[in-house]
Amino acid sequence: DKGTYRHYMLKEIYEQPQAIQRTLEDRIQANHRIQPHAFGTQAPDIFEKIKHIQIIACGTSYHAGYVARYWFESIAGISCNVEVASEYRYRQSVLPENTLFVTISQSGETADTLAALREAKKKGIFASLCICNVPTSTLVRESDLAFITHAGPEIGVASTKAFTTQLVALMLLVVSVAKVRGLELAREQQIVQQLQSLPVILDSVLAMDKAIERIAEEFGEKHHTLFLGRGAHYPVAMEGALKLKEISYIHAEAYPAGELKHGPLALVDHDMPVVAVAPNNDLIDKLKSNLQEVRARAGELYVFADSKVHITPEIGLKVFAMPSVSDDIAPIVYTVPLQLLSYHVAVIRGTDVDQPRNLAKSVTVE
Ligand code: M6R
């Protein structure tokens, strides 16, 4: 039931604060530590032995894995690769010793993801873990360890709350792995408290809806857009671009902002809006100079920036003040305005938002 919402997608965007609360429920102790068995009773023993992480997924779930890769390496200090299932499964890959094979899937029925897991099992992986929204799914059945996101049913073909809850689940996994590798107690509690603050923070981001709806008009007639981010916000930009493509049928491409001058800058002109996410981290000055490169070519910029970052709006440069959040949870927070932007652009273009052409909710074919 859509309730008062015009589309399931909008309802599911708005459900994210509660969905994240459900993901955290029963996984956190009163002292802001993660339950030792949040990933299953055998998990701590397995985590002790792993030396590498291989993440496999498709589409939006792949983007969640891509964000987590940054977290695994920076927070847990463990090497991590991420690849789309349809490539991995047909490739002669080398599996490092004691690899934890992590699959991510909303449905748990995506054919390529299942096939990649089966391929990896044949090669003799050390252990498999899935992050999934459907407890009765094939993926959950076939994995050694399973973590259910509890996002609730997602009806819109465009994945929204499944993605942000996957990110929360992945951060819990990263911290659980980091703990056995010596993460300090205070750091664990700090990250957990940040995750617990997400519902309130996301409510404040959802309050930007009207402002985002107003600028969506400016995208209605465009044919191409560019999404920019750096670090863990590059996959956030990829997810923003996928959302726009999928439901508004506007061509959208994501680039790590530092790659602009290696090619895509040639495309930038007045007719191609450029959307950038600018959290307050140590890459912000680099990102600002990338934005200058766009302005110098008359590119129209839409920047979602931490309210503590000073970017002065001017003609052709619109700035949306985002709540100031730490780098740990920023990818989750910055995802939401991009979902809202795609949604409103699609509504303006009159597409079938919940059932975009040519797409199925669950891709059970190869
Ligand atoms: O159910 P899964 O998470 O395995 O699905 C993977 C993709 O098919 C899915 O995320 C797809 O990209 C979405 N339509 C994106 O919004």
Side-chain angles (χ1 to χ4, degrees), residues 9 56-63 104-114 131-134 139 154 156-160 162-163 166 239 242-243 246-247 356 359-364:
M9 183 186 178
I56 294 294
C58 302
T60 289
S61 298
Y62 165 69
H63 297 151
I104 309 166
S105 173
Q106 189 286 128
S107 62
E109 302 298 345
T110 300
D112 284 322
T113 306
L114 285 170
I131 288 174
C132 188
N133 193 32
V134 182
L139 190 66
E154 193 182 62
V157 165
S159 190
T160 52
F163 178 70
Q166 283 166 351
E239 174 58 11
L242 175 61
K243 286 289 89 89
E246 203 176 10
I247 59 169
L359 299 176
K361 180 65 187 161
S362 186
V363 186
T364 54

Side-chain angles (χ1 to χ4, degrees), residues 95-342:
L95 259 180
E97 213 190 311
N98 288 19
T99 294
L100 178 66
F101 195 83
V102 178
T103 54
I104 309 166
S105 173
Q106 189 286 128
S107 62
E109 302 298 345
T110 300
D112 284 322
T113 306
L114 285 170
L117 171 63
R118 290 171 187 156
E119 268 312 302
K121 278 186 172 176
K122 265 194 231 154
K123 284 190 189 160
I125 35 163
F126 177 69
S128 61
L129 181 154
C130 72
I131 288 174
C132 188
N133 193 32
V134 182
T136 53
S137 63
T138 314
L139 190 66
V140 169
R141 245 186 351 260
E142 296 191 11
S143 302
D144 299 326
L145 305 174
F147 183 99
I148 309 302
T149 47
H150 299 309
E154 193 182 62
I155 311 293
V157 165
S159 190
T160 52
K161 63 177 180 173
F163 178 70
T164 43
T165 53
Q166 283 166 351
L167 288 176
V168 169
L170 284 160
M171 184 56 107
L172 293 177
L173 176 61
V174 167
V175 173
S176 300
V177 170
K179 269 165 73 167
V180 299
R181 301 169 71 87
L183 186 80
E184 283 177 16
L185 167 69
R187 179 75 174 116
E188 175 186 359
Q189 291 171 319
Q190 180 192 40
I191 295 175
V192 166
Q193 281 176 301
Q194 286 174 25
L195 293 175
Q196 289 175 315
S197 69
L198 274 169
V200 171
I201 296 169
L202 292 196
D203 275 333
S204 70
V205 176
L206 289 168
M208 297 165 67
D209 194 10
K210 282 278 166 275
I212 295 172
E213 185 176 4
R214 277 194 294 276
I215 56 132
E217 286 288 339
E218 298 171 27
F219 288 72
E221 302 291 308
K222 303 291 186 198
H223 298 290
H224 305 279
T225 55
L226 203 56
F227 284 73
L228 301 179
R230 293 188 82 120
H233 291 83
Y234 167 47
V236 169
M238 291 164 80
E239 174 58 11
L242 175 61
K243 286 289 89 89
L244 192 69
K245 278 186 268 220
E246 203 176 10
I247 59 169
S248 76
Y249 317 147
I250 294 175
H251 170 226
E253 246 190 296
Y255 258 91
E259 272 290 296
L260 263 185
K261 53 188 170 300
H262 299 288
L265 208 47
L267 286 172
V268 172
D269 64 13
H270 181 74
D271 287 326
M272 188 166 76
V274 179
V275 179
V277 282
N280 191 13
N281 61 23
D282 49 9
L283 294 171
I284 189 65
D285 290 331
K286 301 255 179 249
L287 184 82
K288 278 185 182 172
S289 59
N290 300 138
L291 301 183
Q292 280 310 319
E293 293 163 358
V294 172
R295 278 307 298 144
R297 275 87 187 170
E300 301 273 322
L301 270 169
Y302 299 84
V303 186
F304 293 93
D306 185 295
S307 49
K308 291 205 178 114
V309 166
H310 295 293
I311 299 176
T312 320
E314 53 181 89
I315 294 169
L317 168 58
K318 295 207 167 72
V319 182
F320 300 86
M322 294 286 289
S324 202
V325 295
S326 94
D327 218 25
D328 297 325
I329 56 164
I332 305 171
V333 177
Y334 281 78
T335 294
V336 176
L338 304 187
Q339 295 170 339
L340 288 169
L341 177 64
S342 299

